[in-house]
Structure formats: C-alpha cells, structure tokens
Amino acid sequence: MDFLTAVFVTPFIEIYESPYFFMELVLVGLSTGVLYSLVALGFVLIFKASGMFNFAQGAMVLFAALTLVGLMEHGVPLWAALLLTMAVMVALAFVVERFMLRHLVNQEGLILFMATIGLNFILEGTGQLMWGSDVKRLEVGIPDQPFDILGGKILLNTFDVTAAVIGALLVISLAVFFQKTPMGRALRAVADDHQAALSVGIPLKTIWIAVWTIAGIVALVAGIVWGAKSGVQFSLSLIALKALPVLILGGFTSVPGAIVGGLIIGVGEKVAEGFWGPAFGGAIENWFAYMLALAFLIFRPQGLFGEKIIERV
C-alpha cells in the first residue's frame, strides 16, 4: 500500500504543492526534448529517403564532433573548423552514396540495416584512428551558468536554453524543408519505391546525397551540443539509443512526430525523475523513455503520427 501511495498519490500532491518546481522541470525537459528531436530527425531524414534505419546515426554524431574538436586542437579557429567539418560531412554523403547506397537500390530492409551497422563501425574506427580515443573538451563560446526567472522561483541554465533555441531553429527549418520544398516531397516517392521514383524523373542520386548531407549537418549540431555538455567521447555514439523511444512515439516516417516525440520524452523523463523517482529508488530518468516506448509498441506500434500499415492477404 505504501508503494502504491508513493506512485499514485504522493507525486500529484507534490506537483500541486510545488508548481514552480514542476514548471522548472517542464522547461528543462523541453530544452532536452528539442535536442532529442534533433537526433531523431537524422533517422527520419534517411528513413524517408532510402527506407533504411540508419544505425550509424549515432556514429555520425560522434564522428562530426571528433572532427570538429580535433581540428580545433590543431589550431584551427572555431569558425573555420565548423566549415571544414561541414565539408567533411558533405564528402561523407558522397562516399556513402557512391560506395554503399548505389549498390543497394531496392534491396531488402535487413540488408540496408546491416550496411549501416558496417558504416557505424567504420566511422567509429576512423574517428578513433584520426583523433584518438581520449575524452576531449569542446568549447564553443556558449556560457554555462544558471539564471533565474520569476524572481528566483525557477532556475535554468544558459547553455541548455541556448542549445534548445539553436536546436529548435534547425528543427523548424527541417520541418519547413520537408513540407514546402519539391525535394522534401520527392523524399516520400523515393522511400516508397526507388525504381518508380527513377521512372518519373526523380534524381535518386541527388536525393540521397542531399539527405545524407543534411543528416550529417544535423549530426554535427547534435555533436556540438552534446559534446560541449559532456565532452566529446565515444559514449556520444550511444545518443542514438536515446532517439529510439522518440522515433517509436512519433513514427519513423514523420518529421512532426520526431519533434513531438522528443518533447514528450524530454518532459516526461524530467518530471518522472523529479516526482516519481523517489518511489523507485531514483535513476528513473534512465529507463522511463524505454518503458513509455514499450507501451506505445503494445497499443500503437505505428506511433502518434506514423502511417498505419494495412496488409492484405
């Protein structure tokens, strides 16, 4: 009975008695959720263009961050290192299209998935070979200090807010790109059927290069934000695992779903940790997202915005 009270009664009483703390957790969760959405969008981009789940997206985040900080360690200014790293990610898109995607047109999804697993190990190994495996500190000039609002009743971090604004601007730009541009609409045709898209004049090669380039830029921004928060280290590649619940909630083919799913996960895990954590002994933030994703898989496997699959036999 004590456990049930701690789970179903006490947290709601605490929320009622501590509204400003609840608001603080929601704001922190929203800023974290934007960053989750940013990583998830990398998956959605490539899935919509090629029908493959890019297991290497986390490695792309790591590779971009390692390249940036490695160039800066060799005396390259931040602005030049950013431009050079963007050029590297564009070159990576060309290499992936030329040596991987071009040979996998209309292949089974499992084959495409296995190819991205191989790409994951290549990127991790190349990053370690080029820049080493030590934890690297990334300074991008964003202040990391707390500030208060509402007369000190809510405490936020300058870095988190700035990173959330940058992520939100990029997320909005990508959403507009998908919904309003001819290339964004062409992505759906390419994902449905590669050969059919080619037959109606959609340049498959150009679409793939553009999408992998955008995914690389998204990975760079995510790498900068997460690397500046916790250091550039190989655990950055595991950020892809945090994006999986976001994709399950929002749907693998939905840009709005990636955004909404990221915000739900971000707010949910912060609020759950703050008010339900004591009932479970703490650390609920580490597994809350996966439990929520499991519930969605049971009751709504296509996600909030995903297309329901209807099979006829």
Side-chain angles (χ1 to χ4, degrees):
M1 184 63 68
D2 291 338
F3 176 75
L4 294 178
T5 301
V7 172
F8 296 105
V9 178
T10 303
F12 295 101
I13 295 176
E14 292 177 347
I15 290 174
Y16 176 77
E17 295 177 345
S18 309
Y20 292 109
F21 180 56
F22 174 73
M23 290 172 60
E24 179 179 322
L25 291 178
V26 170
L27 292 174
V28 172
L30 287 174
S31 65
T32 303
V34 169
L35 303 182
Y36 289 161
S37 298
L38 191 61
V39 179
L41 276 174
F43 287 95
V44 173
L45 281 165
I46 293 174
F47 191 86
K48 288 176 74 68
S50 57
M52 71 165 63
F53 177 79
N54 181 24
F55 187 82
Q57 186 65 32
M60 289 173 65
V61 172
L62 170 65
F63 183 77
L66 280 174
T67 302
L68 177 66
V69 74
L71 289 170
M72 293 174 64
E73 286 181 346
H74 284 76
V76 180
L78 174 61
W79 66 269
L82 279 170
L83 293 177
L84 289 173
T85 305
M86 291 175 64
V88 169
M89 300 312 290
V90 173
L92 175 64
F94 277 90
V95 170
V96 169
E97 190 281 327
R98 175 63 182 85
F99 295 101
M100 188 176 82
L101 296 178
R102 188 177 297 185
H103 305 285
L104 296 176
V105 175
N106 275 351
Q107 294 295 322
E108 295 291 335
L110 180 60
I111 295 176
L112 298 173
F113 176 67
M114 295 299 293
T116 64
I117 292 178
L119 179 62
N120 174 81
F121 288 114
I122 290 173
L123 291 177
E124 286 189 354
T126 303
Q128 184 173 359
L129 183 66
M130 292 175 59
W131 310 113
S133 57
D134 296 332
V135 178
K136 302 177 186 298
R137 183 172 177 81
L138 178 59
E139 293 285 352
V140 292
I142 301 176
D144 187 10
Q145 56 190 16
F147 70 95
D148 59 82
I149 57 177
L150 296 180
K153 295 177 180 178
I154 297 178
L155 189 66
L156 298 175
N157 186 281
T158 305
F159 181 91
D160 292 339
V161 174
T162 306
V165 171
I166 295 172
L169 291 175
L170 184 55
V171 166
I172 293 171
S173 300
L174 290 173
V176 172
F177 166 79
F178 274 113
Q179 301 298 326
K180 302 298 183 181
T181 65
M183 181 172 289
R185 291 190 291 269
L187 290 176
R188 291 187 290 271
V190 172
D192 288 340
D193 192 308
H194 297 165
Q195 295 293 354
L198 285 170
S199 68
V200 297
I202 295 177
L204 192 59
K205 174 183 175 181
T206 303
I207 291 290
W208 277 346
I209 291 175
V211 167
W212 278 79
T213 297
I214 296 171
I217 302 304
V218 169
L220 172 59
V221 176
I224 291 172
V225 172
W226 291 102
K229 281 173 66 73
S230 57
V232 179
Q233 52 191 311
F234 275 76
S235 62
L236 269 184
S237 61
L238 300 179
I239 194 176
L241 299 179
K242 204 67 175 183
L244 288 178
V246 176
L247 295 169
I248 292 172
L249 262 67
F252 280 82
T253 60
S254 173
V255 173
I259 299 170
V260 174
L263 296 178
I264 292 174
I265 292 295
V267 173
E269 67 181 18
K270 297 299 182 184
V271 173
E273 179 67 34
F275 291 100
W276 278 266
F280 294 90
I284 189 176
E285 185 175 352
N286 295 329
W287 52 263
F288 171 83
Y290 301 100
M291 295 300 294
L292 185 60
L294 179 60
F296 266 76
L297 285 174
I298 295 173
F299 298 104
R300 191 177 174 83
Q302 73 271 23
L304 291 172
F305 297 89
E307 299 175 358
K308 189 172 183 178
I309 299 175
I310 301 176
E311 295 184 354
R312 295 177 173 85
V313 296

